Amino acid sequence: MTHRTQVAIIGAGPAGLMLGHLLHRAGIDSVILETRSEAYVVERVRAGVLEQGTVDLMRESGLGERLDREGLRHEGLSIAFAGSRHRIDLSGLTGGRAITIYGQHEVVKDLIAARTAAGRPVHFNVERVVVDELASERPRVRYVQDDASHEILSDFIAGCDGSHGTCRSSMPAAHTQTFEHEYPFGWLGILAEAAPASDELIYSCHSRGFALFSMRSPTITRLYLQCAPDEDLSQWSDDRIWSELRVRLGTEDGWVPADGPILQKSVTGMRSVVTEPMRYGRLFLAGDAAHIVPPTGAKGLNLAMADVRRLASALVSFYVAADDTALNEYSGMALRRTWRAQRFSSWMTSALHRVEHASGFEHRRQLAELEYLVGSRAAMTSFAENYVG
Ligand code: FAD
Ligand code: PHB
């Protein structure tokens, strides 16, 4: 069966869903294809920190209501090291900007509800997605759904299919370059039914390794421990996880995170990837399909949202004003922001993580770096500007 649309969107993560939503609001038709089931996409536990720009985009596009009701606005965060916690006043240092804690799966839920209300549902559980004719004015997507073959003819394809998707690898190798860096760390993340014992996030640099205290709601805590990239989760009983979190996050004033039943556990490796350019012919990449950042700077979801905001507005200029200037500028502008986020995320990763077999010198150097950060208004301002986006 052959379908026609203006923009074929591959992937129903935050990038693909937000792009479809913004295009729909501008009267541009799109079809969204997703290989996973709706339940999988909605339940996947991932990011939780929304920058001000992402919150503004949700509000401006009519998705602010639940976010404003349930999101937790944070005006600061703490960096812990050598037994003490140091608060960084994000809002005070950035003219009132803040971050909002609102789970990525909540963002995805809101976007799917908007898509469904618009009468343009997402095609879940599709298989064998192939994109081709990318250099022509009629790029094509082929896929299989319920054993039937389908074809979509569109004006543009948006590759929003994440780091393991098919779009990036469909760009001819001679036209692209991928820059990669693997970190020798992973994060063991848990979601726990426990009231957050601190109102704000705590990033801790400890001699046993990095740990992060975060949350999802007034009753759910989200915590991470630095581990090996291929850490065996079966070696981590709930008791071992809590005692390690207490050691790495606890401070001399006796503060430790409150514990409770663990609802979910996972291990994620850390890497940086950037593909340049983010476009080939009529295929445009957005979000994790084009770039991955280590989670330490909380930038991945926010970069994905910044990409699709830019891409949607460029497509509107193309359709409404027959102007392709913004489409031609998309890759260069998005890459500038991406490299800024890579710089900050990799700096934060190296400032806070323990490198195995590193000398005592290295840990002392880290402590000096962190002491400078929390002792200098200029350093804290630079940190806050980068963190809130
Ligand atoms: P994805 O969310 O990966 O969506 C891509 C979609 O495409 C998926 O649903 C996938 O199933 C689908 N797909 C794949 N291949 C195909 C295909 N061939 N055809 C059709 N569909 C396909 N970011 C932050 O900003 N803040 C944080 O606090 C943060 N914390 C994180 C914590 C963890 C543990 C992890 C793993 C990530 C974190 N991130 C964070 C990163 C953030 O989750 C990602 O950057 C974000 O999901 C990117 O969205 P996306 O839509 O580009 O890609
Ligand atoms: C999270 O809440 O999941 C989270 C917070 C901050 C990060 C990464 C993840 O840097």
Side-chain angles (χ1 to χ4, degrees), residues 12 14 28 53 55 74 106 115 129 159 182 195 202 206 209 226 240-241 276 284 305 315 329 341 363 377 380-381:
I28 298 170
V55 170
H74 286 194
E106 306 294 355
R115 185 85 189 165
V129 176
E182 293 271 343
I202 304 167
H206 192 275
Q226 176 186 346
R240 182 178 172 204
I241 292 175
E276 295 188 356
F284 289 82
M305 291 300 200
L315 287 165
E329 288 172 353
H363 189 58
R377 191 176 167 86
M380 279 192 288
T381 304

Side-chain angles (χ1 to χ4, degrees), residues 25-41:
R25 285 174 66 89
I28 298 170
D29 188 54
S30 64
V31 169
I32 305 182
L33 300 182
E34 167 61 51
T35 45
R36 301 288 193 154
S37 68
E38 178 167 358
Y40 180 91
V41 168

Side-chain angles (χ1 to χ4, degrees), residues 46-49 187 201 203 212 214 216 222 224 295-298 387:
R46 289 175 95 183
V49 175
W187 277 15
L201 270 57
Y203 287 84
L212 169 61
S214 179
R216 285 293 176 274
R222 176 84 169 139
Y224 298 95
T296 328
Y387 194 85

Side-chain angles (χ1 to χ4, degrees), residues 10 18 20 34 52 56 169 189-190 195 269 288 300 314 316 325 342 374:
I10 316 299
M18 180 56 94
E34 167 61 51
Q52 184 79 53
D56 293 345
S169 53
I190 65 160
D288 278 18
V316 171
T325 314
Q342 289 289 7
V374 302

Side-chain angles (χ1 to χ4, degrees), residues 146-375:
D146 299 329
D147 296 324
S149 297
H150 296 261
E151 176 185 64
I152 303 175
L153 300 177
S154 61
D155 300 330
F156 297 96
I157 298 176
C160 303
D161 49 352
S163 55
H164 302 293
T166 192
C167 290
R168 179 172 42 160
S169 53
S170 304
M171 296 174 35
H175 286 84
T176 59
Q177 226 183 335
T178 295
F179 300 90
E180 273 186 80
H181 179 73
E182 293 271 343
Y183 300 82
F185 321 122
W187 277 15
L188 190 167
I190 65 160
L191 201 62
E193 209 177 315
S198 155
D199 292 339
E200 295 178 343
L201 270 57
I202 304 167
Y203 287 84
S204 176
C205 174
H206 192 275
S207 57
R208 294 175 63 88
F210 167 77
L212 169 61
F213 173 90
S214 179
M215 65 202 69
R216 285 293 176 274
S217 74
T219 54
I220 302 286
T221 309
R222 176 84 169 139
L223 299 130
Y224 298 95
L225 285 170
Q226 176 186 346
C227 62
D230 55 353
E231 190 79 29
D232 179 4
L233 251 185
S234 69
Q235 300 300 305
W236 287 84
S237 65
D238 291 7
D239 282 349
R240 182 178 172 204
I241 292 175
W242 284 117
S243 77
E244 193 64 28
L245 283 165
R246 280 191 285 267
V247 170
R248 294 195 201 175
L249 285 166
T251 41
E252 276 164 1
D253 58 9
W255 185 89
V256 285
D259 60 19
I262 295 182
L263 306 172
Q264 193 260 356
K265 291 184 209 182
S266 61
V267 168
T268 322
M270 289 171 82
R271 60 198 178 116
S272 288
V273 181
V274 181
T275 296
E276 295 188 356
M278 287 168 57
R279 168 193 191 169
Y280 174 71
R282 290 284 181 116
L283 168 69
F284 289 82
L285 300 181
D288 278 18
H291 39 68
I292 318 275
V293 285
T296 328
K299 294 280 168 232
L301 168 62
N302 296 296
L303 273 181
M305 291 300 200
D307 284 351
V308 296
R309 162 178 243 164
R310 192 181 297 286
L311 183 54
S313 122
L315 287 165
V316 171
S317 298
F318 175 86
Y319 283 113
V320 175
D323 182 353
D324 62 3
T325 314
L327 278 176
N328 292 332
E329 288 172 353
Y330 167 74
S331 171
M333 306 279 275
L335 283 167
R336 278 233 286 286
R337 186 185 187 109
T338 299
W339 280 110
R340 272 207 311 273
Q342 289 289 7
R343 184 204 70 80
F344 178 67
S345 304
S346 89
W347 170 79
M348 232 181 129
T349 301
S350 75
L352 293 166
H353 287 69
R354 189 184 91 97
V355 178
E356 205 166 350
H357 308 306
S359 60
F361 174 88
E362 185 51 28
H363 189 58
R364 289 286 199 286
R365 186 201 59 79
Q366 268 181 325
L367 295 180
E369 171 106 35
L370 295 172
E371 248 156 43
Y372 171 65
L373 169 65
V374 302

